[in-house]
Amino acid sequence: MYVSLTLCLFGSNREIVFEAALNINKKSFSDMAVPIVVFSVWGTFMSTILSAGMVYYGSKSISWCTTIPFIESLAFGSLISSIDPIAVLSVLNNMGMSDKDPIYVLIFGESLLNDGVAIVLFQTLIHFMDEKIVIDSEAVSSIS
Amino acid sequence: MKQKSLQLIDSCNLIIVCSISVQCWLATLHFLVIAFGSLFVGLLCGVAATVYFWLMKGIQTPLVEVLMFLCWAFIPYYICDGVDWSGIVAIVAAGFFMDIYVIGSRTEQEPIDSIGSVLIPENGHANMVPSRKRTGVFSQEGFLSAKAKNHIGFVTEINSTLMETAIFAYLGIFLLNKRYHWNVIIPVVAVVSCIASRSVMVVFSSAVSNAITRISSIGKKSLQGSCTGSRNAIPNGTNDRNNKTELVLIDARMQLVLIFSGLRGAMSFALVETVPMFDESTGEGSRYKPELKAMTSACIVFTVFILGGYTYYLLQHLGMGPSGKDEDGLEMVSLMSTPDGEEDEEIPRIGKDDALGPQRRKRIFCPDPKSGFHL
C-alpha cells in the first residue's frame, strides 16, 4: 500500500510537468530564454550545493541534533531546489499577471525547467547512497 | 614501523581521494547521460508523434485524438523510466515539441458558439472536413481537429490539478506520521538553508543573466548598426521592438519577487518519498529518510504558507500588485461557469499566441491571497 502510494505520487509529477510544458507561451518563453536557462540550470546547481553545504555543516556544528551526511544533504539540496510551478502561478495569477509579464514567464520557465534538472541531479545522487562510499568533510576538502 | 604506518595512511588517503574523484566523475557522467539521453528520447518521441498526427490528420475522431495525444506524451516517460533515465526531462521536451508542431498555432478562424466552445458538426467529427490541403510535417500549423485542440489543455489541466491536490492531501495526512523524526533544530536548519540558498542563487544568477543579456544586446546592436549604416534597411519600429524584447534585465524588485516566489511543493515531497530506505544487507539507501521527510515538509509548509502568503503584500508594496481592480485587489472568479455573456467572451482558446494557461488557471484557482493558502 505504502509502496504503491509512493509510486503513484512520483508518477503524478509527469501530469503536472506535462501540463506546464504544454501551456507555457512559447514566444514569451523564447524571449526570456537566457535568464530562464541561467536560473534553471546554473541556479539549480548553485542552490543544491549551497543548501547541501548549509545543511551538512549546520547539522554538524550543532551538537544536539543528528548530523545529516553529505550525500543526503546533497539529495535534500537537489530536491528542495525544484520550485513548484502551480503553487507559484496561482499566487501570480491572483496578482493579475499574465504570461506577457517578464517576471511571470521567468518564474514559470524556471520552475518548469529546474524540475527536470533537480530530478536528474536527485536521481544521480540516489545512486550514490551507499555505505561503502564514505564522503565526509575530510574527503571533500581533500579534493578541493 | 612508524614510517610504514604513515605510508599505509597515505596510501589509504590516496585510495579514498581517488575513489571520491572517480565517483565525482561517474556522477557527472551519469548526470550528463541522463540529461541528454532523456532530452533526445523526448525529442524523438515528439518527432514521431508529429509524423503520426500528420499522417492521421482528418482520420481520427476528436476523442481518439486527445487520447492518442496523451499516450504519445507519456511514451517517452515510460521509455526513460525503463532505462533508468529521467522521464520528466523527456516529457518536458516532448510537451514543448508537441505543443509547437502537433497542436500548432491556430491560423484559421473556427466557428465558436455562445459559451466559447468550437462549433462541431452534427456527427461530432469536426475534423471530418477532408478539404484541407495536407501541409508539411513541421509546418507548425497543427494537425488536430478544432474540438481536440480545445479540449487537450483542459484535460491535461484536470489531470494536473487532481495530482497536485492528491499530493498535498498526502502531505497533510502524513505530517503527523510516525515515520517523521520531528526535531526542532533540523527543520529550522533546513528552512534557513532553503531560503538562504535561494536568495544567494537569485542574486548571483541575476547578475550572470544580466551580464549575458547586456553582452548579447551590445553585440546585436553593433551588428544592426553596421547593417543600418550600410543599407539603412531596418525600419525603426522593428529595431525598437527587438531592443525591447531582448533587454529584460532583472532588477532588485524582480529579484525580491523571485526569492519570495520560490515555493516548494508537490515535486519536492514526491521526490523525498522516493529516497530508498536503508537496506542492511546491501548497505544501500539512506538511514536518514525520516529526517529528510521532516526537513522537506518543514520547507514546503514554510514556503507555501509564509512566503506564499506574504507575496501578495510584497507585490503590493513594490507596486507590482494588481492595478485597476477593486480594493480587495482580487477578482474572484467563481468555480462554476455562469451563463453570463460578458464572461463568455473571456474564455480563451487554444492557440500559440494567446494567454490560455494563466487565464484558464484564473478560473480554477481562486483563493483569497490574504489567507495564504493557494490550492
Side-chain angles (χ1 to χ4, degrees), chain B residues 14-271:
Chain B
L14 192 68
I15 288 166
I16 288 173
V17 171
C18 282
S19 80
I20 298 278
S21 49
V22 166
Q23 293 293 344
C24 283
W25 278 112
L26 279 178
T28 314
L29 198 67
H30 187 257
F31 177 83
L32 290 176
V33 167
I34 288 185
F36 287 103
S38 311
L39 207 62
F40 179 71
V41 169
L43 291 177
L44 204 68
C45 288
V47 172
T50 311
V51 173
Y52 171 82
F53 282 103
W54 177 69
L55 290 172
M56 298 301 246
K57 186 180 177 185
I59 295 171
Q60 295 167 328
T61 62
L63 178 72
V64 177
E65 279 182 343
V66 173
L67 291 175
M68 286 311 295
F69 189 87
L70 293 181
C71 286
W72 272 109
F74 295 135
I75 284 174
Y77 180 86
Y78 287 112
I79 292 175
C80 287
D81 227 28
V83 292
D84 272 347
W85 286 354
S86 171
I88 298 288
V89 173
I91 215 168
V92 168
F96 266 73
F97 200 91
M98 287 167 76
D99 184 39
I100 295 170
Y101 292 106
V102 178
I103 295 180
S105 58
R106 186 186 290 265
T107 50
E108 298 166 33
Q109 274 297 321
E110 308 283 353
I112 294 187
D113 67 5
S114 61
I115 58 162
S117 305
V118 176
L119 285 174
I120 308 300
E122 280 301 310
N123 59 7
H125 300 173
N127 56 345
M128 291 299 175
V129 187
S131 60
R132 283 190 186 170
K133 214 174 98 182
R134 192 178 285 270
T135 51
V137 187
F138 300 109
S139 62
Q140 299 191 14
E141 282 186 16
F143 307 119
L144 296 179
S145 65
K147 191 176 184 182
K149 269 186 185 179
N150 214 26
H151 286 86
I152 277 175
F154 190 62
V155 170
T156 51
E157 188 169 10
I158 286 179
N159 283 341
S160 141
T161 313
L162 266 176
M163 295 302 171
E164 183 89 1
T165 314
I167 292 175
F168 270 95
Y170 183 80
L171 170 72
I173 292 167
F174 279 80
L175 270 180
L176 302 174
N177 193 284
K178 282 180 191 167
R179 287 196 179 93
Y180 282 68
H181 283 188
W182 284 108
N183 161 334
V184 183
I185 305 295
I186 288 198
V188 170
V189 169
V191 170
V192 169
S193 72
C194 159
I195 306 296
S197 65
R198 171 108 186 138
S199 312
V200 175
M201 183 277 275
V202 165
V203 173
F204 199 81
S205 301
S206 304
V208 172
S209 151
N210 288 347
I212 294 173
T213 313
R214 279 203 188 97
I215 290 166
S216 64
S217 74
I218 288 168
K220 282 187 181 167
K221 262 184 193 171
S222 61
L223 198 70
Q224 280 178 4
S226 64
C227 284
T228 47
S230 60
R231 294 183 192 172
N232 272 338
I234 299 176
N236 282 337
T238 321
N239 214 349
D240 288 348
R241 207 183 312 133
N242 283 344
N243 288 341
K244 195 184 167 189
T245 50
E246 280 161 12
L247 270 179
V248 183
L249 296 177
I250 302 162
D251 57 5
R253 286 192 321 167
M254 275 171 89
Q255 287 177 19
L256 204 57
V257 176
L258 277 166
I259 292 170
F260 269 79
S261 61
L263 306 189
R264 276 71 173 173
M267 189 68 75
S268 303
F269 190 71
L271 280 178

Side-chain angles (χ1 to χ4, degrees), chain A residues 93 96, chain B residues 325 331 333 357-366:
Chain A
N93 285 332
Chain B
K325 292 190 180 173
E331 188 185 339
V333 184
Q359 284 184 31
R360 206 179 52 228
R361 280 205 184 85
K362 202 170 181 178
R363 280 179 172 276
I364 291 180
F365 298 110
C366 52

